[in-house]
Amino acid sequence: MAIERTFSIIKPDATARNLTGAINAMIEQAGLRIIGQKRVRITRQQAETFYSVHRERPFFKELVEFMISGPVVVQVLEGDNAIAKYRDVMGATDPAKAAANTIRKVHAKSIGENSAHGSDAPDTAAKEIAQFFAGNEIVG
Ligand code: CDP
Ligand code: MG
């Protein structure tokens, strides 16, 4: 398996409930390394750009409002097969459908307020990392 990097966001519903450490523990227990991390408030423009693939979807406005409603923790994760592995650690988008012991099953409030984001492919991972991190903020 190849060593990959993926982009993660601990979303506002999770930071509000003081779950950054609990989620980071699940990430690290899965064998992923947190090689970049910062707590930020993202702007409306950043959120709209980040989720632009969903701009025509009925949930887009609500999603953007949610992502700017409080602090988030943006992260770069590294490890074997990191992109698919982190999707497994997060679980399905809808917590009701997520597997046991996944971030979303354990912590998410709803399909919208679902605690975590993870990139879905190598090209989106590279693009998402570049949106939020300068090269010298990632230390592998
Ligand atoms: O985050 P993931 O890749 O699993 O799901 P997505 O289909 O790319 O959707 C992005 C985000 O939009 C989700 O994580 C949810 O926060 C939100 N969403 C929503 O509010 N309602 C839906 N029916 C689907 C997604
Ligand atoms: Mg997605």
Side-chain angles (χ1 to χ4, degrees):
M1 272 187 293
I3 295 284
E4 288 177 337
R5 291 179 176 181
T6 193
F7 180 71
S8 162
I9 304 178
I10 299 177
K11 294 185 178 182
D13 68 287
T15 62
R17 288 175 290 147
N18 214 19
L19 293 171
T20 300
I23 291 172
N24 279 351
M26 293 171 88
I27 290 169
E28 293 185 338
Q29 273 158 21
L32 294 166
R33 303 181 73 85
I34 301 164
I35 61 169
Q37 174 169 259
K38 53 191 177 184
R39 179 172 166 110
V40 294
R41 252 185 196 272
I42 62 174
T43 65
R44 181 178 297 278
Q45 191 176 348
Q46 281 176 311
E48 287 176 354
T49 299
F50 184 77
Y51 278 123
S52 61
V53 68
H54 294 310
R55 65 185 171 273
E56 305 300 340
R57 307 284 289 277
F59 58 81
F60 180 71
K61 192 169 180 297
E62 197 180 358
L63 175 60
V64 169
E65 295 296 340
F66 167 56
M67 293 301 291
I68 67 175
S69 68
V72 300
V73 178
V74 292
Q75 303 176 310
V76 182
L77 310 181
E78 185 176 77
D80 279 335
N81 205 22
I83 295 166
K85 183 178 281 184
Y86 188 47
R87 300 283 304 187
D88 285 346
V89 172
M90 288 195 302
T93 309
D94 180 354
K97 296 180 182 153
N101 300 317
T102 58
I103 292 170
R104 285 163 165 173
K105 184 68 173 186
V106 174
H107 295 300
K109 294 171 75 175
S110 66
I111 192 170
E113 301 195 16
N114 62 359
S115 303
H117 165 85
S119 310
D120 58 10
D123 59 333
T124 50
K127 197 170 143 191
E128 291 172 3
I129 290 168
Q131 189 186 348
F132 289 99
F133 285 91
N136 65 1
E137 293 177 315
I138 302 168
V139 184

